[in-house]
Amino acid sequence: MGNKIPDEGPRIYNLFPLLVGSIPDWEQRLPEIAAMQFNWVFLNPFHAPGFSGSLYSIKDYYQLHPLFQGESQESAEQLLREFVRQAENRGLAVMMDLVINHTAKDSPLVSQHPEWYLHEEDGSVHSPFVIAPDDPQNVTVWEDLAEIDYRQRPAREELLAYWKKLLQHYIQLGFHGFRCDAAYKVPGEVWADLIETARELNPEIRFFAETLGAPLHQVEQLHSAGFDYFFNSAKWWDFHADWLLEQYEQFRHIAPSIAFPESHDTERLVAEWGGEERYSRLWYLFTAFFSAGVMLPIGYEYGFRRKLHVVETRPKDWEEPEFDLTSFISAVNAMKANTPVLNEEGPQRRFTSPDHPLVGLLRQSEYSAEKVAGLINTDTEHSHDFDLDDLGEAMGVEVEAIQEITPFYPTDSLARHQPIQVAPYSMRIFHVPEQGS
């Protein structure tokens, strides 16, 4: 594969490194990840952390977290280069987390370059904080972090030169992409400069903006930065409210997006919904359908319940599988890879009433007559039927032009012209290829 980036939308497996251990242990997971038909591996920060031990409190961007170094005598560069090479050999591109809105408070950069940071009136380094949207008195301050100052001034050029050198280092090790943590906290013009520099080194490099929870204006200021993908909020949809489809329409003109049923920042889906396999099946199928990209964290395929923790998680936290979704996930990923309209972000609309237990979504290509429709039964107790002629009308074609592409369903499932029955809390997907219209 070399440094070639996959042509399809990203199907991302988040290999949370604290749960796995040393870099050679990461390599042991690659055959299984590839067998599930993912095309990207995302690594959370693997750098040496500051005093808090948090992966996102980075003390040294060039040194490894001791757990990931393990017993190996090889350098960080050798270990990472070999991991990326092993992933490439299995058709997997590797992205790493790029955390440049803050560093650890005990990073040497704080004393070496105090002018790069925001400071309080007493001269101490400013820690980032967040105010709960529903309670202004509820303020969370990250005391282990030092917030970087991106205001326009001479010191900013030095700071950007440091980040450009960091990008060069990891691009030369073979990394194919960067997930940009809290991208909205860094000015779009800064990202544009960094992304342009990275693409001069490797035109195939990909940048993924993490902007969850950001106000719309902070996302829109990234419009011209050059990001390839954003992460969307599909995980929090109730299948009925209008906001997700409105957000999809707003953001698809900035960049295509990536959905996920859970992430390293959220509770595990199984912990939220109980251990029934059908919930995890539906949510992965829905998120794979909804947008150009999809991501899941390690352990989702086995129904893990324990939330991933950026300080405390360790390999001993590996759980007994609740179930095994690896075959299902492989089939969903293959469906996505083989359906071009599921790898772009053309128009998407709901064709059922907002309060109906069956949710019908129609996605259309910007580039061809290809269409795909999903029917989601949100009722946990009862099956619901959908009339085949109504599906043809929603998709704008004769019924004979429609094929089912739901994993493990026959493609000619509609041949008998019976109503479509959707089982409780499940989803079925139907496709009109370009030549079918």
Side-chain angles (χ1 to χ4, degrees):
M1 175 172 157
N3 262 9
K4 178 154 173 43
I5 303 299
D7 293 328
E8 305 110 12
R11 303 183 301 279
I12 305 165
Y13 188 88
N14 176 198
L15 195 159
F16 191 74
L18 287 176
L19 187 60
V20 182
S22 68
I23 294 178
D25 294 324
W26 305 354
E27 292 172 8
Q28 300 300 311
R29 309 297 317 170
L30 291 173
E32 188 177 322
I33 297 168
M36 284 188 283
Q37 308 289 318
F38 288 98
N39 57 5
W40 280 89
V41 175
F42 159 49
L43 297 169
N44 306 82
F46 43 73
H47 318 288
F51 65 83
S52 70
S54 169
L55 294 184
Y56 286 86
S57 179
I58 297 170
K59 183 174 182 177
D60 189 325
Y61 289 88
Y62 293 91
Q63 295 296 315
L64 281 177
H65 189 297
L67 180 63
F68 311 146
Q69 181 71 42
E71 301 299 316
S72 176
Q73 300 303 307
E74 293 186 355
S75 68
E77 290 80 8
Q78 289 171 305
L79 288 166
L80 291 167
R81 185 182 282 114
E82 178 61 14
F83 175 76
V84 172
R85 189 184 70 79
Q86 295 275 5
E88 284 181 348
N89 288 343
R90 296 187 177 275
L92 294 160
V94 183
M95 82 172 82
M96 58 175 277
D97 237 323
L98 185 63
V99 183
I100 64 168
N101 56 305
H102 59 247
T103 68
K105 204 168 257 186
D106 54 339
S107 167
L109 295 175
V110 174
S111 56
Q112 292 167 3
H113 298 282
E115 70 280 7
W116 291 1
Y117 292 86
L118 287 169
H119 293 267
E120 304 291 357
E121 286 183 12
D122 64 3
S124 62
V125 178
H126 175 77
S127 291
F129 64 88
V130 64
I131 300 171
D134 54 348
D135 179 8
Q137 303 302 312
N138 184 358
V139 180
T140 302
V141 181
W142 288 286
E143 298 285 0
D144 59 332
L145 304 179
E147 187 155 13
I148 290 172
D149 182 359
Y150 279 103
R151 287 175 300 180
Q152 186 71 262
R153 64 204 197 291
R156 190 167 87 166
E157 291 311 307
E158 271 183 56
L159 174 62
L160 294 196
Y162 181 85
W163 297 137
K164 288 174 184 179
K165 188 176 174 189
L166 185 74
L167 285 169
Q168 179 180 14
H169 176 77
Y170 285 106
I171 291 170
Q172 287 175 343
L173 292 183
F175 283 89
H176 308 88
F178 298 92
R179 172 197 177 267
C180 302
D181 185 58
Y184 59 94
K185 292 193 171 184
V186 176
E189 65 200 32
V190 168
W191 284 121
D193 192 3
L194 296 178
I195 291 170
E196 182 183 6
T197 298
R199 295 225 168 100
E200 286 169 3
L201 296 165
N202 176 6
E204 293 280 302
I205 212 78
R206 296 285 182 265
F207 281 81
F208 303 76
E210 189 277 300
T211 58
L212 296 170
L216 183 59
H217 71 275
Q218 286 189 313
V219 178
E220 287 186 332
Q221 63 101 11
L222 301 174
H223 192 289
S224 57
F227 282 103
D228 297 285
Y229 293 94
F230 285 70
F231 289 86
N232 65 49
S233 301
K235 186 256 182 299
W236 292 277
W237 199 32
D238 65 357
F239 293 117
H240 300 292
D242 293 331
W243 65 265
L244 182 66
L245 291 167
E246 291 168 358
Q247 182 195 77
Y248 174 93
E249 182 59 29
Q250 283 175 317
F251 288 176
R252 75 184 183 90
H253 300 289
I254 302 175
S257 65
I258 298 161
F260 51 87
E262 68 183 33
S263 76
H264 78 270
D265 284 322
T266 73
E267 297 297 330
R268 291 289 199 175
L269 190 102
V270 167
E272 290 181 313
W273 286 86
E276 286 191 64
E277 189 176 320
R278 62 179 174 149
Y279 294 113
S280 296
R281 284 175 175 263
L282 170 65
W283 274 96
Y284 190 68
L285 185 56
F286 162 64
T287 49
F289 169 93
F290 181 75
S291 48
V294 65
M295 179 183 73
L296 65 73
I298 187 169
Y300 184 92
E301 66 270 39
Y302 297 125
F304 284 7
R305 291 175 174 268
R306 196 173 294 132
K307 187 179 189 292
L308 295 165
H309 195 285
V310 296
V311 178
E312 296 170 6
T313 293
R314 288 296 182 271
K316 65 178 174 54
D317 296 313
W318 191 265
E319 300 173 44
E320 277 296 311
E322 189 104 8
F323 44 70
D324 185 343
L325 287 186
T326 52
S327 301
F328 176 76
I329 290 168
S330 176
V332 173
N333 285 344
M335 174 201 76
K336 188 170 182 64
N338 294 326
T339 309
V341 69
L342 293 179
N343 295 272
E344 56 158 297
E345 293 206 354
Q348 179 166 201
R349 66 177 178 86
R350 177 167 43 201
F351 58 85
T352 50
S353 62
D355 55 350
H356 197 282
L358 268 188
V359 178
L361 295 176
L362 178 70
R363 292 186 59 189
Q364 297 174 258
S365 173
E366 293 269 39
Y367 311 106
S368 73
E370 188 189 6
K371 299 170 187 172
V372 67
L375 286 171
I376 306 163
N377 184 0
T378 60
D379 188 333
T380 59
E381 303 286 331
H382 306 102
S383 296
H384 286 274
D385 291 350
F386 196 79
D387 190 82
L388 194 52
D389 290 332
D390 290 345
L391 181 65
E393 185 179 337
M395 299 188 81
V397 296
E398 297 297 319
V399 168
E400 287 72 22
I402 305 172
Q403 273 194 332
E404 179 146 17
I405 58 172
T406 315
F408 308 132
Y409 275 79
T411 55
D412 63 349
S413 63
L414 308 182
R416 290 184 298 142
H417 285 251
Q418 299 292 316
I420 300 163
Q421 186 174 82
V422 189
Y425 218 74
S426 69
M427 180 177 189
R428 291 176 67 177
I429 300 176
F430 305 91
H431 182 225
V432 176
E434 184 175 0
Q435 65 270 26
S437 294

